Amino acid sequence: MEPIYSTRWPKTRIIIRADSGFCRDAIMAWCETNDVGYVLGLARNKRLQQALGKEMEEARLACERTGEAARCFRDFRYRTRKSWSCERWVIGKAEYLPGKAQCH
């Protein structure tokens, strides 16, 4: 069944943006089934930090060189070990602030 908005507003594209508290398989699966885009935050974890290791090093070097915050991004396929039903495309952000590293 086609969403009602697609007949009334055929050029409209719905995209949900939410923080990591909403990054749940049921929400993502519903969006995928109903042609709704989504951008959801992912909570930091060791596997994501490891996947962004090269980007963290690049951000650290850039921060040390300029003295300003540096960010590097990487897109990759990712699946949680238990809670997601399938692999999904994610964009990871490696951020290094003067004196403080962060992975998202």
Side-chain angles (χ1 to χ4, degrees):
M1 184 166 107
E2 204 169 347
I4 192 166
Y5 70 84
S6 65
T7 55
R8 293 187 183 165
W9 304 285
K11 294 181 182 179
T12 300
R13 175 94 167 108
I14 305 245
I15 301 172
I16 294 172
R17 164 62 181 105
D19 65 20
S20 61
F22 293 92
C23 192
R24 301 288 181 251
D25 192 64
I27 293 171
M28 293 182 285
W30 183 89
C31 289
E32 293 157 358
T33 299
N34 291 284
D35 196 29
V36 172
Y38 58 89
V39 178
L40 305 175
L42 276 174
R44 184 183 335 184
N45 65 54
K46 288 181 183 182
R47 286 179 58 220
L48 289 172
Q49 287 177 301
Q50 186 176 32
L52 293 168
K54 179 182 171 197
E55 289 72 20
M56 278 304 302
E57 180 63 11
E58 290 174 18
R60 182 186 69 78
L61 291 172
C63 180
E64 288 176 355
R65 187 176 61 251
T66 65
E68 297 182 11
R71 292 164 195 85
C72 293
F73 298 88
R74 175 178 170 226
D75 64 311
F76 54 98
R77 303 292 295 173
Y78 179 79
R79 180 179 182 174
T80 61
R81 291 194 170 136
K82 295 180 181 177
S83 59
W84 291 6
S85 60
C86 62
E87 242 185 14
R88 293 186 167 94
W89 178 56
V90 301
I91 300 171
K93 177 177 78 169
E95 182 174 45
Y96 205 94
L97 307 171
K100 186 176 180 183
Q102 297 184 8
C103 282
H104 302 283

